[in-house]
RNA sequence: GCCUGGGUGGCGGAAUUGGUAGACGCAAGGGACUUAAAAUCCCUCGGUCCUUGAGGCUGUGCGGGUUCGAUUCCCGCCCCAGGCACCA
């Protein structure tokens, strides 16, 4: 009996070794089998995996193993999103080379993932920081350059004047540099952009094809793209130098436009300010606004500020002379960067007009009370009837939208247009640890692409990391100095590297042919077999950027003929964040949970400031390393617990309360199997007649069999329809509890034992995607020759699963007052009679007027009565 | 601020299409076993009131509404989380 104890460590090592040796999860294309490509978002190798990863990858592994048991040829790969800022920060702070740091992290995390028993095809492992990977990305870049899908334009970055370096948004804390606390400035640089806007209509339209995506993600993407219909209207400048063009969706309010607003950083501002007495003041204002955060600038609560530019333009329909102002709340990169201000019907314009004493003209009247501009305390933004609007007065404002647009077009003052909120994707990073952009800048020839034969442009290793003075690459002479491929004269290499979102926009393609080393790095035949990804699983945090970029990139690669799908991810499961409060010591900054004890910092003993609860991330250090769970309880318990805690899409505030319960359940299951093992080893699962007169099972054995089939049904549906593994686990827990509750049959009662055998086999199979090592071991002990991973998913018999008796709830005036038990299939009339004559119900309804009776089949009867109680 | 979600016992959660609120588990309390402890097994467990019952009332963030019936649908508010284009 001693060798029959549940020893997770031993079992897990044994099965992990066996899966690896037998290459259980390595796959190749097999045209004879249905394929299933299951992908979890690959991790950034930050150092250690945390509970968020465990949750994500366990969810994926359960689905992968489940689909395998269902007979699919499952591709389930894993790799590393290996470029990124933290590696460079480590180099700056600790003098470790980013590649060393990254590869050490990968080695450690790979070991951790292997210890979790995930069913990956490790032969396909890729790491995006290797030239074998990014060389293809550089090739795609050249192709995109060729097709004008990539271009250069001036664009602003965060600049720390003290460190003389570019900062990521994350490195700016309340407007200050995170390293030196200097006030962060804005600097304009020439940067590379992908023309994602070329695909904007397709990206929007294809949302309809993504029926396997959560509605909320599609809504977020659509809102992000932000298509709006409106008009572009020209307001002639008083100085005769052409016109100011604005985009508006509210052309119905055009007759109420009394002044013009221009984004502070708009080139027009400098142009108009030139030579004016207020030029200095205007410059100062612009400088000030540049420093304001974009979110702050556009927030409703921010004080509206502006400065008069000393010039005027004309409202094309009213002829009114409109003063031109630069304003803080107008954005340069949306629409035309200029806005016609209608203070009576736009709240921001209203506040601005009040502050600077600008005129108000009401053009929309509400139905009930006429508006008096002098008495207005806020803008009227609802619908109404047009007034003061020339030929359009008297029209409903929504109807006037179309009429005014048509009028403007006819009169030549403007045209109907469509605007998008989506901007082109800036991919330039002034950093070392990323894929080099394969471009050479020549003094004579300008921008010259690196010839294909010279790819990859490999990141040089020997660079110095100081965190100061901009990109380390720019200071690397041997890298920068080169010859122009076109004219041969001395030229400089581009030193910007690509945004790491570029790597994650095609890694799922590379997984299909991870070692393919000839152009274009993607083996079309293999891609055609595996793509699209059937199920993609990852955090909701990626709902917009990563997923939108990957969709765009897929379409771009498709148009290069490299792959044959329009959309990369057929089905998407967005898991909720695993959150935890962050902890901060005034001396040592953010602390890892293990660096804190009793609210004090372990290093210095200072009181800890507990921050808000946020998603686990390395930068906040609010991460929980799963090692201690695996160490103490084993990977199976850790997997079980992560899934049992909540359904996948829900956010989870981490607590390991309950981990004991998960372990207890496995031990309990193990024990009951051991208890029956000798008695059922030679007995086949029950296969007797299913129902009707042939039904020979009685009492609790019959009930157990019903419960078994009900459990298979429920578990299958919960996995198949909604990935709710928490309810899967409770269902199996109930089945195991049922097994404990029945009286132990005699050793010779082969019929009863065969039912128990069926129950135990089913429980093991149902749990096997969740706790695979545990189930493999039990499956072997139960005498099955084939591994559980290669076994078929169990089927249920609906006849066995169906209940013979059902409980009908009886309500009086909507309140539950009694219950009656009837046999399944009992007639409605009989059930209603039973309900009315039920003792408790009869007491409540006698002497009262029966208003109506509602019957919901198999569920309830609601008797509605009127009268005194 | 804007966009997107969420809020149910002491805790994690269940209730899948408007139809029994609280499955399953944790914690807690009680009991059995034991010399003892651990482990295990069994029972109780939203709140409240009384007449302690097959009892009444109440209860799914807050306030309203629709309905025979609302955790579920609608309106308003509060709080929490994700994203906001250089964290990934």
């Amino acid at each position: 009996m001693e060798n029959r104890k549940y020893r997770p460590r031993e079992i897990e090592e044994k099965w992990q070794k066996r899966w690896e040796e037998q290459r259980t999860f390595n796959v190749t294309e097999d045209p004879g089998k249905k394929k299933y490509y299951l992908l979890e978002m690959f991790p950034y190798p930050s150092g250690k995996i945390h509970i968020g990863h465990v949750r994500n990858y366990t969810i994926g592994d359960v689905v992968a193993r489940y689909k395998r048991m269902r007979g699919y040829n499952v591709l389930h790969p894993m790799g590393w999103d290996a470029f990124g800022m933290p590696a460079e920060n480590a180099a700056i702070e600790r003098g470790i080379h980013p590649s060393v740091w990254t590869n050490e992290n990968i080695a450690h995390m790979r070991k951790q993932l292997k210890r979790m028993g995930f069913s990956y095809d490790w032969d396909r492992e890729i790491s995006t920081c290797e030239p074998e990977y990014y060389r293809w990305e550089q090739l795609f870049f050249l192709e995109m350059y060729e097709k004008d899908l990539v271009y250069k334009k001036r664009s602003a970055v965060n600049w720390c004047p003290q460190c003389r370096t570019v900062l990521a948004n994350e490195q700016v804390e309340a407007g200050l540099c995170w390293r030196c606390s200097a006030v962060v400035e804005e600097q304009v640089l020439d940067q590379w952009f992908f023309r994602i806007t070329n695909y904007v209509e397709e990206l929007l339209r294809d949302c309809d094809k993504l029926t396997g995506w959560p509605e909320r993600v599609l809504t977020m993407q659509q809102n992000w793209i932000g298509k709006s219909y409106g008009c572009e209207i020209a307001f002639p400048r008083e100085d005769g130098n052409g016109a100011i063009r604005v985009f508006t969706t509210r052309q119905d309010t055009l007759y109420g436009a009394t002044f013009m607003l221009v984004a502070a950083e708009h080139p027009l501002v400098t142009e108009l300010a030139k030579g004016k007495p207020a030029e200095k003041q205007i410059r100062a204002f612009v400088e000030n606004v540049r420093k304001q955060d974009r979110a702050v600038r556009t927030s409703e609560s921010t004080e509206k500020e502006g400065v008069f530019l000393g010039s005027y333009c004309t409202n094309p329909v009213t002829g009114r002379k409109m003063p031109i102002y630069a304003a803080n709340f107008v954005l340069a990169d949306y629409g035309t960067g200029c806005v016609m201000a209608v203070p009576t019907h736009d709240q921001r314009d209203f506040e601005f007009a009040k502050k600077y004493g600008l005129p108000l003209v009401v053009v929309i009247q509400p139905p009930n009370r006429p508006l008096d501009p002098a008495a207005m305390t806020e803008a009227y933004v609802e619908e109404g009837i047009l007034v003061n609007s020339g030929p359009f007065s008297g029209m409903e404002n929504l109807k006037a939208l179309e009429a005014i647009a048509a009028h403007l077009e006819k009169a030549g003052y403007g045209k109907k247009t469509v605007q998008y909120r989506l901007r082109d994707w800036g991919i330039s990073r002034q950093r070392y640890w990323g894929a080099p952009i394969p471009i050479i800048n020549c003094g004579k020839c300008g921008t010259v692409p690196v010839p294909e034969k010279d790819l990859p442009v490999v990141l040089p290793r020997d660079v110095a990391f100081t965190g100061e003075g901009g990109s380390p690459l720019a200071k690397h002479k041997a890298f920068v100095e080169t010859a122009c491929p076109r004219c041969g004269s001395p030229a400089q290499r581009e030193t910007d590297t690509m945004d790491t979102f570029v790597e994650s926009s095609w890694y799922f393609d590379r997984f299909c042919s991870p070692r393919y080393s000839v152009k274009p790095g993607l083996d079309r035949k293999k891609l055609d077999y595996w793509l699209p990804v059937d199920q993609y699983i990852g955090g909701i945090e990626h709902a917009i950027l990563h997923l939108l970029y990957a969709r765009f990139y897929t379409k771009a690669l498709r148009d290069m003929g490299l792959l044959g799908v329009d959309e990369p991810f057929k089905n998407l499961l967005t898991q909720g964040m695993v959150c935890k409060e962050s902890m901060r010591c005034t001396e040592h900054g953010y602390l890892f949970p293990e660096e804190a004890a009793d609210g004090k910092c372990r290093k210095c003993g200072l009181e800890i400031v507990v921050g808000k609860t946020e998603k686990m991330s390395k930068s906040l250090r609010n991460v929980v390393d799963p090692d201690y769970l695996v160490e103490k309880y084993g990977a199976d318990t850790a997997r079980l617990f992560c899934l049992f805690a909540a359904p996948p899409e829900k956010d989870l505030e981490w607590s390991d309360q309950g981990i004991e319960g998960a372990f207890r359940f496995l031990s309990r299951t193990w024990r009951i199997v051991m208890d029956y093992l000798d008695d059922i080893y030679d007995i086949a699962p029950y296969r007797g007649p299913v129902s009707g007169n042939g039904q020979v099972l009685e009492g609790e054995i019959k009930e157990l069999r019903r419960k078994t089939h009900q459990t298979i049904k429920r578990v299958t549906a919960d996995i198949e329809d909604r990935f709710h593994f928490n309810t899967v686990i409770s269902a199996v827990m109930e089945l195991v509890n049922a097994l404990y509750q029945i009286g132990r049959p005699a050793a010779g009662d082969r019929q009863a034992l065969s039912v128990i055998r069926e129950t135990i086999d089913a429980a093991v199979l149902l749990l096997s995607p969740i706790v695979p090592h545990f189930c493999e071991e039990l499956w072997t002990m139960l005498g099955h020759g084939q591994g559980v991973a290669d076994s078929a998913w169990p089927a249920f018999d609906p006849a066995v699963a169906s209940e013979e008796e059902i409980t009908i709830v009886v309500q009086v005036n909507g309140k539950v007052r009694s219950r009656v038990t009837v046999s399944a299939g009992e007639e409605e009339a009989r059930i209603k009679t039973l309900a009315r004559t039920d003792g408790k119900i009869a007491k409540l309804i006698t002497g009262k007027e029966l208003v109506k009776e509602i019957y919901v089949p198999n569920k309830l009867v609601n008797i509605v009565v009127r009268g005194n109680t």
Side-chain angles (χ1 to χ4, degrees):
Chain A
M1 203 60 198
E2 189 47 33
N3 62 339
R4 286 183 174 181
K5 258 189 85 179
Y6 174 42
R7 292 201 188 82
R9 177 79 63 95
E10 263 170 46
I11 293 173
E12 287 169 10
E13 277 175 14
K14 167 181 161 186
W15 286 100
Q16 283 162 20
K17 205 170 143 221
R18 190 161 306 179
W19 292 326
E20 197 165 338
E21 282 167 2
Q22 299 187 343
R23 303 179 53 78
T24 309
F25 304 112
N26 296 89
V27 282
T28 48
E29 302 72 42
D30 178 352
K33 258 173 127 181
K34 292 172 290 179
K35 67 95 184 180
Y36 194 85
Y37 185 176
L38 185 123
L39 184 68
E40 300 123 38
M41 290 177 186
F42 66 164
Y44 177 77
S46 56
K48 296 170 172 183
I49 61 170
H50 59 69
I51 295 291
H53 294 119
V54 172
R55 188 181 189 207
N56 188 183
Y57 302 145
T58 302
I59 291 165
D61 199 46
V62 174
V63 179
R65 287 174 179 270
Y66 168 76
K67 288 288 176 183
R68 232 181 103 76
M69 292 175 82
R70 284 261 136 147
Y72 287 89
N73 192 28
V74 176
L75 172 58
H76 188 205
M78 181 42 73
W80 310 97
D81 188 12
F83 275 137
M85 249 185 5
E88 214 159 324
N89 291 334
I92 294 163
E93 282 154 24
R94 292 187 278 144
I96 310 169
H97 194 276
S99 73
V100 173
W101 186 84
T102 302
N103 285 320
E104 279 174 1
N105 287 348
I106 289 175
H108 183 74
M109 291 169 75
R110 184 193 299 117
K111 207 188 276 170
Q112 286 185 302
L113 291 182
K114 288 195 171 177
R115 276 228 286 171
M116 293 303 302
F118 298 136
S119 61
Y120 299 126
D121 178 354
W122 281 105
D123 284 359
R124 292 175 187 261
E125 180 179 0
I126 56 178
S127 175
T128 60
C129 65
E130 299 301 330
E132 292 74 44
Y133 184 83
Y134 66 72
R135 63 174 301 175
W136 307 116
E137 195 168 300
Q138 292 175 336
L139 180 75
F140 305 152
F141 181 97
L142 294 179
E143 191 79 19
M144 289 168 86
Y145 183 81
E146 217 36 49
K147 299 183 72 179
D148 195 33
L149 267 180
V150 55
Y151 67 101
K152 242 179 161 173
K153 78 169 174 194
R154 294 183 70 70
S155 168
V157 293
N158 302 311
W159 177 257
C160 172
Q162 182 117 8
C163 307
R164 292 178 301 116
T165 196
V166 174
L167 299 177
N169 291 342
E170 193 193 41
Q171 297 172 315
V172 180
E173 291 173 344
L176 306 179
C177 171
W178 70 343
R179 212 163 259 139
C180 70
S181 295
V183 174
V184 174
E185 298 174 355
E186 202 170 68
Q187 194 169 77
V188 177
L189 302 172
D190 255 336
Q191 308 204 66
W192 290 97
F193 285 80
F194 283 162
R195 266 188 227 281
I196 189 172
T197 51
N198 273 17
Y199 286 86
V200 66
E201 269 302 321
E202 195 188 341
L203 287 167
L204 195 58
R205 178 164 29 90
D206 284 358
C207 284
D208 295 340
K209 286 191 192 164
L210 299 173
T211 50
W213 282 38
E215 203 49 54
R216 61 185 288 210
V217 174
L218 293 173
T219 309
M220 282 192 260
Q221 294 226 338
Q222 285 157 355
N223 290 345
W224 185 259
I225 290 169
K227 184 175 186 176
S228 56
Y229 298 88
C231 273
E232 200 175 288
I233 307 173
F235 290 71
R237 272 163 64 172
E238 205 191 30
D239 58 15
N241 289 327
I244 295 178
R245 312 190 75 83
V246 305
F247 170 76
T248 180
T249 56
R250 292 300 307 273
Q251 61 270 21
D252 55 325
T253 63
L254 176 58
Y255 285 79
T258 54
F259 55 98
M260 176 64 63
L261 295 170
V262 183
E265 59 271 56
H266 197 286
L268 189 63
V269 173
T270 344
E271 190 197 320
L272 292 177
K274 210 165 226 158
K276 299 264 160 62
E279 184 173 353
K280 249 195 177 158
Q281 187 205 334
I282 295 169
R283 275 177 193 278
F285 172 76
V286 170
E287 274 316 302
N288 214 2
V289 172
R290 271 189 201 283
K291 284 181 193 154
Q292 280 183 358
D293 185 72
R294 188 186 168 93
V296 172
R297 269 175 66 178
T298 52
S299 117
E300 251 176 53
S301 54
T302 302
E303 176 80 15
K304 308 293 174 283
E305 284 174 346
V307 57
F308 179 48
L309 299 176
S311 299
Y312 296 87
C313 61
T314 311
N315 184 323
V317 291
T318 60
R320 173 187 280 273
K321 185 172 159 188
M322 297 163 63
I324 307 170
Y325 280 76
N328 63 340
F329 62 96
V330 178
L331 299 174
D333 46 17
Y334 181 74
T336 61
C338 304
V339 176
M340 67 173 202
V342 184
T344 40
H345 305 294
D346 181 283
Q347 185 58 26
R348 291 166 307 179
D349 298 348
F350 180 84
E351 287 168 32
F352 194 88
K354 281 288 172 190
K355 181 161 177 171
Y356 296 102
L358 295 160
L360 277 65
V361 175
V362 170
V363 289
I364 299 177
Q365 281 294 7
N368 41 2
R369 48 180 177 115
L371 290 173
D372 170 13
M376 284 173 85
T377 55
E378 58 177 6
Y380 177 73
V381 295
E382 315 283 302
E383 282 149 36
I385 303 296
L386 291 197
V387 293
N388 302 321
S389 295
F392 305 99
S393 295
M395 225 182 228
E396 281 173 40
N397 74 307
L398 290 181
K399 288 190 177 147
L401 279 171
E402 186 55 39
I404 292 182
H407 171 72
L408 289 172
E409 235 169 46
K410 214 167 122 200
Y413 298 141
K415 57 174 195 229
K416 279 190 261 182
T417 56
V418 171
Q419 269 297 322
Y420 301 92
R421 209 184 71 97
L422 181 71
R423 309 199 298 265
D424 275 336
W425 173 11
I427 57 148
S428 273
R429 296 293 180 271
Q430 294 70 38
R431 285 181 221 295
Y432 167 77
W433 196 232
I437 292 176
I439 289 288
I440 291 165
N441 298 306
C442 170
K444 291 179 195 158
C445 311
T447 304
V448 182
V450 171
E452 219 177 285
K453 65 173 173 52
D454 296 339
L455 294 184
V457 177
V458 178
L459 265 185
R461 237 194 111 83
D462 51 333
V463 294
F465 300 96
T466 58
E468 291 175 0
S471 165
L473 267 188
K475 289 176 279 180
H476 192 282
K477 272 194 166 181
F479 178 81
V480 176
E481 290 176 5
T482 184
C484 171
R486 202 164 285 166
C487 70
S489 40
Q492 290 79 45
R493 246 178 231 292
E494 172 64 68
T495 58
D496 282 358
T497 50
M498 286 190 245
D499 179 4
T500 57
F501 272 128
V502 182
E503 283 87 65
S504 55
S505 291
W506 69 284
Y507 73 110
F508 41 89
D509 301 324
R510 183 68 178 168
F511 273 139
C512 300
S513 59
R515 307 286 170 254
Y516 195 64
S517 60
V518 296
K519 186 183 172 183
L522 299 172
D523 184 341
R524 180 68 196 260
K525 257 199 252 133
K526 294 189 168 166
L527 267 68
D528 283 345
Y529 178 80
W530 291 114
L531 291 180
V533 172
D534 292 279
Q535 183 67 55
Y536 195 33
I537 305 175
I540 184 69
E541 78 238 63
H542 293 295
I544 297 173
L545 291 181
H546 161 59
L547 290 168
L548 193 65
Y549 292 152
R551 293 181 61 213
F552 154 68
Y553 211 78
T554 299
K555 292 172 191 298
L557 293 186
R558 173 202 63 194
D559 290 347
M560 293 175 200
L562 303 187
L563 44 85
V565 295
D566 296 324
E567 287 288 341
F569 314 120
K570 193 165 176 231
N571 296 292
L572 174 69
L573 175 63
T574 44
Q575 61 152 354
M577 300 285 89
V578 179
C579 298
K580 191 171 165 58
E581 79 276 348
S582 58
M583 286 178 292
R584 218 177 166 143
C585 160
T586 42
E587 187 73 18
H588 296 96
Y590 284 114
L591 300 177
F592 287 109
E594 56 273 20
E595 292 173 331
D598 305 321
K600 301 243 162 59
C601 172
R602 280 240 163 111
K603 297 178 193 165
C604 60
L606 282 173
E607 201 75 21
I608 283 167
V609 184
V610 175
K612 61 174 191 162
T613 303
E614 289 173 89
K615 72 164 171 172
M616 285 190 184
S617 77
K618 186 92 195 268
S619 54
L620 294 170
R621 304 203 165 175
N622 57 345
V623 288
V624 175
D625 184 336
D627 276 357
Y628 75 103
L629 294 180
V630 179
E631 205 71 38
K632 192 163 176 198
Y633 305 100
D636 281 330
T637 297
R639 294 167 61 120
L640 181 78
F641 177 60
C642 272
L643 295 176
F644 189 54
E649 67 279 6
K650 212 183 138 134
D651 286 342
L652 195 61
E653 200 173 320
W654 179 254
S655 147
D656 54 18
Q657 281 260 306
I659 182 82
E660 293 279 350
F663 184 73
R664 201 175 298 154
F665 166 64
L666 289 183
S667 308
R668 190 171 147 83
T669 306
W670 183 273
R671 264 196 321 274
I672 194 104
V673 177
M674 289 311 116
D675 188 31
Y676 277 110
L677 193 58
D678 292 335
D679 287 348
I680 62 173
Y681 189 84
D682 291 320
I683 289 180
Y686 187 80
R687 290 284 179 269
V690 292
S691 58
N693 300 331
Q695 181 63 277
V696 289
L697 298 176
E698 290 300 336
E700 54 183 26
I701 284 293
K702 183 179 173 183
E703 280 306 316
L704 180 67
R705 182 145 201 261
R706 191 198 320 279
K707 182 94 182 164
T708 302
H709 283 249
Q710 284 175 340
T711 305
I712 297 170
K713 182 180 177 183
R714 196 173 144 194
V715 166
T716 307
D718 278 352
I719 295 180
E720 197 72 46
D721 303 343
R722 48 176 209 170
F723 302 132
H724 276 204
F725 309 110
N726 55 334
T727 53
V728 165
I729 295 163
S730 4
V732 182
M733 281 175 169
E734 284 186 46
L735 186 63
V736 171
N737 288 347
L739 201 51
Y740 267 94
Q741 268 143 30
I742 60 163
R744 169 91 193 214
D749 187 350
R750 293 186 71 89
Q751 190 184 58
L753 287 172
S754 70
V755 170
I756 286 167
R757 171 84 198 202
E758 186 188 23
T759 301
I760 286 177
D761 275 8
V764 173
L765 287 169
L766 295 177
L767 284 175
S768 70
I770 296 171
V771 286
H773 317 85
F774 176 90
C775 292
E776 288 284 8
E777 189 65 20
L778 288 181
W779 198 244
T780 305
M781 291 175 95
L782 284 161
H784 297 277
Q786 188 186 34
V788 79
D790 289 310
S791 301
W793 187 253
F796 66 93
D797 183 332
V800 179
S802 69
E803 290 286 352
E804 285 160 15
E805 285 189 326
I806 51 174
T807 302
I808 301 286
V809 165
V810 187
Q811 298 184 336
V812 175
N813 291 345
K815 286 190 179 180
V816 179
R817 296 298 180 186
S818 186
R819 294 172 174 84
V820 294
T821 303
V822 300
S823 55
E826 185 60 85
E827 283 186 20
E828 177 175 344
R830 168 106 182 103
I831 291 172
K832 282 182 172 172
T833 310
L834 274 173
R836 274 195 304 269
T837 52
D838 174 86
K840 276 190 283 184
I841 300 302
K843 241 193 269 176
L844 283 158
I845 62 173
T846 38
K848 291 185 189 151
E849 181 196 348
L850 186 74
V851 179
K852 65 168 139 175
E853 234 176 359
I854 290 135
Y855 172 65
V856 181
N858 302 325
K859 290 233 163 85
L860 64 74
V861 176
N862 184 11
I863 301 166
V864 183
V865 292
R866 195 181 295 149
N868 306 329
T869 1

